[in-house]
Amino acid sequence: NKQKSSNRTELPVIGEMTVIDYIKREKHKKPWYNQACVTMPRILIGSNSSGANNNDSIQKGVPAGFDVNDFDTMRYRVHADINNWYANLYDKVIVDVNRIADNVLQNPAYSIHRPYLRRCPYPDSCLDESMLKVNHYLGSFEAYSSRSDVRRSAEFYNKKASLIDGGTDDDIRPWIKHFVENVGEESAHNLTSNLVKFISGDD
């Protein structure tokens, strides 16, 4: 019998299921059952702080007591055109390390986009055919330039920001509501406050 493949028409409603729960549900279908490395197209989310990223828009769905500006996933909604490869660039991947030999895992990954050449396809998948996508946040210039990388100049940052012209996306927005429901409000505050300190570089 021909093995069934996961189908985009059968994707769960946004906020209905976690990614790991979805993969578990689909584990007997392609690509999950037969590929150790599954590619996911990425979408550049920009730092434009006006219009669609104003306070009224970004506060939607965020539980009371959380500062929406602490979370790029809440704060930024405007993205590049999904067909603009020069904005979105190469895919990211999910790797099932149980299917990769130990001696291979001990070697440095070829790249973050294609860590194992023999197991990972070329990182240029089609968004219309992919089961998952990755939001790739440009973030604020302060956060962008905090990493030691000669490519992260103001000129390059502004060039990337100029490619944000594809509309808005709120698919990621339900995560914080479900996170608070799953771990409790106190734990959610404690965990996210530590994350904010890590991102900002505070002690």
Side-chain angles (χ1 to χ4, degrees):
N1 294 333
K2 186 177 180 180
Q3 186 70 31
K4 289 185 65 176
S5 299
S6 292
N7 190 312
R8 283 190 59 83
T9 62
E10 299 174 350
L11 286 171
V13 175
I14 297 298
E16 180 182 84
M17 184 179 293
T18 65
V19 171
I20 190 61
D21 286 338
Y22 167 72
I23 293 174
K24 287 179 179 178
R25 190 192 76 179
E26 301 287 300
K27 65 181 180 181
H28 297 301
K29 298 179 183 179
K30 297 177 182 178
W32 312 106
Y33 94 99
N34 67 333
Q35 292 185 24
C37 188
V38 176
T39 58
M40 303 174 293
R42 65 178 181 172
I43 307 297
L44 180 66
I45 308 291
S47 58
N48 179 0
S49 60
S50 63
N53 289 342
N54 63 35
N55 285 336
D56 290 338
S57 298
I58 64 178
Q59 191 63 46
K60 182 181 178 181
V62 177
F66 290 86
D67 186 349
V68 69
N69 290 297
D70 287 339
F71 305 94
D72 283 1
T73 52
M74 302 289 106
R75 183 178 178 185
Y76 302 122
R77 304 172 60 234
V78 186
H79 61 82
D81 189 299
I82 62 173
N83 297 310
N84 187 343
W85 186 90
Y86 292 100
N88 301 311
L89 298 175
Y90 293 107
D91 298 351
K92 293 296 179 71
V93 297
I94 290 180
V95 177
D96 184 348
V97 295
N98 289 316
R99 299 184 183 188
I100 307 290
D102 288 343
N103 64 309
V104 175
L105 291 173
Q106 291 172 5
N107 296 323
Y110 176 73
S111 82
I112 193 64
H113 307 286
R114 195 182 183 190
Y116 307 107
L117 291 178
R118 293 186 178 181
R119 306 303 297 272
C120 298
Y122 189 77
D124 190 18
S125 59
C126 177
L127 182 66
D128 291 337
E129 298 175 0
S130 177
M131 297 303 105
L132 303 175
K133 67 176 181 178
V134 177
N135 287 355
H136 190 238
Y137 291 88
L138 185 60
S140 66
F141 179 69
E142 290 74 19
Y144 177 86
S145 59
S146 65
R147 291 175 57 182
S148 180
D149 188 331
V150 294
R151 298 171 298 177
R152 290 177 173 256
S153 63
E155 180 182 4
F156 193 74
Y157 177 86
N158 291 331
K159 182 178 180 180
K160 295 285 283 185
S162 71
L163 300 173
I164 310 302
D165 57 1
T168 59
D169 189 330
D170 286 312
D171 285 356
I172 193 67
R173 187 160 293 273
W175 82 261
I176 193 167
K177 173 179 176 290
H178 294 297
F179 177 67
V180 173
E181 291 174 352
N182 287 334
V183 305
E185 186 172 344
E186 183 177 355
S187 293
H189 276 292
N190 290 337
L191 290 167
T192 55
S193 64
N194 289 334
L195 177 62
V196 170
K197 288 180 180 179
F198 173 76
I199 294 173
S200 65
D202 294 340
D203 293 333

